[in-house]
Amino acid sequence: MTEFDAATAAVQAALDAGARYADARVMHRRYESMTARNGDVEELTQDESIGLGVRALVGASWGFYAVPDLSDAAARDAGRRATRTAMASARVPGPPVDLVPAEAVTASWASGCEIDPLGVPLSDKGDLLVDATRAMVEHGADLAEGLYQIWDTAKWFVSSEGHRIDQRIRECGGGISATSIGDGETQRRSWPSYRGQYGTTGWELVESLDLAAHAAQIADESRALLTAPQCPAGETDLILGGEQLALQIHESVGHAIELDRILGWEAAFAGTSWLDLAQLGSLRYGSELMNITIDPTIPGALGSFGFDDEGSPAVRRDAVRDGRWVGVLAGRDSAAMASLDYGGSVRADGWARLPMVRMTNVGLEPGPHTLEEIIAATDDGVLMDLNRSWSIDDKRLNFQFGCEVGWEIKKGRRGRMLRNPTYTGIGPLFWRSMDMLSNETISWGTPNCGKGQPGQIGHTGHPAAPARFRNVRVGVSA
């Protein structure tokens, strides 16, 4: 049995058992990670799994079943069990479920990769982390950590509508962090982001981060933060660095525009959404500088693919255009329910999980300024970057974020470093206050987006650049 044979057998068995639609995914994933601490390798993890998951649609209900066995008998049994589960659910009346029409395709797709990350010797990877963490300790860090992660995933997808798609997606990334401990105070600085930077690419991404070259600087800054003045509390102009703005997009835009949350189908991990589908096309989400795209076609970005896990091709579309909300992240069933004509944003984190609406690359298009121009135009404000903590309500509306580092901005110049910087706001009011946006865009990769019950971990990308927001509440009052 080939992978396509197993998926085809599962789909046919589901149809024979009474499903009106069925699809099946075989996934083979290899994973590797390594962590180092204070100059020594601490942990090496290597894992591999393969299996098949089947979805079956009966009436208004989905059924799902998964097995770690690609034999003909196991695949057909999985198809029948998926249909029986759907039939059991269909006994409870519900609104009809249709699927947005999709063209059946036969296709192959692979992500770009110059250096196979799993082919790089473990000794070379270990030396990279050991050298970087040792350099941080030498420059005063009490705790110096480094890590990398690698995923190599092959998928085979078959649907009852005639899809036959195989993909190979290689992802990797890494980072370092330095923690310094003082009298009643602990501070951390990271490079290039907390837990690292990731992409759908090869080991060349990790090499480009040049971890060891940044070790001394972040160790020095972590110690300097111990005695830096506290971020003042009050309303001021806020400049966010690109990495922090990427998380702001993820939490207050990406999750809010997931159509399953908007419809009330999904409420785990901080809830539903404040958005009302009746306002799609008219709601003022942010300022005219706010242009958010959903784009799984960006080469090398972590949320990129050729086809999603329903067989829909990767397509770029607008979510917010000139500050107006115009698009959502959707699947074929949720889109049909909302009378939309597109899906394309459904993925599962493994063969044993039901695919659901997930972020792809949800990012902010660049603006007309540079960071230095934004600073020069700011008379009084705070620049913050690199996330340290986050909190957002179950409507994805009210939020509070803490950052690793801040800098005072006075009369157009960057001044003293500030510790424990925080800011808070309400999504649409915050985004409407954005009045300057940099053209220095980086696509930040986030490999730990949680959603669903049972929980799934998604890989998402967020193109972002520094931006300024007016009259934002920062700091914590005594």
Side-chain angles (χ1 to χ4, degrees), residues 371-447:
L371 175 59
E372 292 310 311
E373 288 171 345
I374 295 173
I375 292 173
T378 303
D379 187 58
D380 184 39
V382 178
L383 166 63
M384 301 184 193
D385 204 9
L386 268 70
N387 186 259
R388 188 175 182 180
S389 66
W390 65 95
S391 176
I392 193 162
D393 69 13
D394 60 4
K395 290 288 188 180
R396 296 284 159 174
L397 187 61
N398 299 278
F399 61 82
Q400 177 175 307
F401 292 99
C403 295
E404 286 189 0
V405 65
W407 288 273
E408 188 177 62
I409 305 297
K410 293 290 186 183
K411 297 181 179 180
R413 294 182 179 275
R414 188 191 303 217
R416 56 184 181 167
M417 183 183 291
L418 301 173
R419 65 185 166 97
N420 303 330
T422 64
Y423 68 98
T424 187
I426 301 172
L429 299 180
F430 179 79
W431 286 106
R432 291 168 195 168
S433 76
M434 181 173 66
D435 73 334
M436 294 189 78
L437 175 62
S438 171
N439 55 21
E440 300 151 313
T441 297
I442 294 176
S443 186
W444 295 96
T446 303

Side-chain angles (χ1 to χ4, degrees), residues 262-300:
I262 296 170
L263 293 173
W265 293 4
E266 172 60 41
F269 285 96
T272 54
S273 174
W274 66 276
L275 292 169
D276 181 349
L277 201 57
Q279 295 181 298
L280 182 64
S282 63
L283 175 73
R284 175 61 61 181
Y285 208 123
S287 75
E288 291 187 355
L289 284 173
M290 186 184 188
N291 293 293
I292 299 283
T293 60
I294 300 165
D295 190 0
T297 70
I298 300 173

Side-chain angles (χ1 to χ4, degrees), residues 154-389:
K155 302 182 181 184
W156 296 264
F157 176 81
V158 171
S159 81
S160 57
E161 295 175 333
H163 292 85
R164 188 180 175 93
I165 300 166
D166 65 275
Q167 300 185 81
R168 186 179 182 189
I169 301 173
R170 284 182 277 195
E171 305 158 301
C172 69
I176 55 175
S177 66
T179 301
S180 294
I181 303 170
D183 184 13
E185 188 77 32
T186 300
Q187 293 292 335
R188 183 188 71 220
R189 286 291 283 127
S190 305
W191 172 265
S193 169
Y194 176 57
R195 302 292 292 175
Q197 165 69 324
Y198 297 84
T200 301
T201 182
W203 191 250
E204 61 273 12
L205 170 61
V206 178
E207 291 184 345
S208 73
L209 300 177
D210 205 359
L211 300 179
H214 293 87
Q217 178 184 345
I218 69 165
D220 290 342
E221 289 184 358
S222 73
R223 295 218 65 83
L225 280 168
L226 291 175
T227 56
Q230 184 85 1
C231 177
E235 278 195 2
T236 190
D237 292 343
L238 172 66
I239 302 172
L240 290 183
E243 190 267 0
Q244 177 60 31
L245 192 56
L247 183 67
Q248 183 74 55
I249 294 166
H250 180 100
E251 299 293 349
S252 69
V253 181
H255 278 305
I257 64 172
E258 291 168 337
L259 186 52
D260 55 349
R261 290 183 183 269
I262 296 170
L263 293 173
W265 293 4
E266 172 60 41
F269 285 96
T272 54
S273 174
W274 66 276
L275 292 169
D276 181 349
L277 201 57
Q279 295 181 298
L280 182 64
S282 63
L283 175 73
R284 175 61 61 181
Y285 208 123
S287 75
E288 291 187 355
L289 284 173
M290 186 184 188
N291 293 293
I292 299 283
T293 60
I294 300 165
D295 190 0
T297 70
I298 300 173
L302 190 60
S304 296
F305 49 80
F307 299 83
D308 78 349
D309 284 351
E310 294 186 309
S312 298
V315 174
R316 181 187 186 278
R317 65 180 79 256
D318 288 337
V320 178
R321 178 54 52 186
D322 299 328
R324 187 166 51 90
W325 177 41
V326 296
V328 297
L329 294 152
R332 293 180 63 192
D333 54 356
S334 57
M337 179 68 70
S339 299
L340 302 175
D341 63 356
Y342 60 87
S345 300
V346 166
R347 288 184 292 167
D349 74 352
W351 54 267
R353 289 289 182 262
L354 181 69
M356 62 168 56
V357 174
R358 298 308 302 254
M359 279 180 258
T360 61
N361 299 310
V362 179
L364 185 63
E365 289 188 347
H369 309 105
T370 66
L371 175 59
E372 292 310 311
E373 288 171 345
I374 295 173
I375 292 173
T378 303
D379 187 58
D380 184 39
V382 178
L383 166 63
M384 301 184 193
D385 204 9
L386 268 70
N387 186 259
R388 188 175 182 180
S389 66

Side-chain angles (χ1 to χ4, degrees), residues 6-62:
T8 300
V11 167
Q12 188 58 54
L15 296 177
D16 292 343
R20 63 185 178 95
Y21 168 86
D23 59 36
R25 292 171 299 109
V26 173
M27 292 182 65
H28 177 203
R29 173 169 286 170
R30 292 185 292 164
Y31 172 75
E32 180 181 293
S33 69
M34 183 184 292
T35 59
R37 176 177 292 186
N38 291 8
D40 294 308
V41 171
E42 186 173 57
E43 184 177 8
L44 171 66
T45 300
Q46 294 176 312
D47 183 61
E48 183 172 5
S49 70
I50 187 169
L52 173 144
V54 193
R55 292 194 312 172
L57 183 60
V58 175
S61 299
W62 286 105

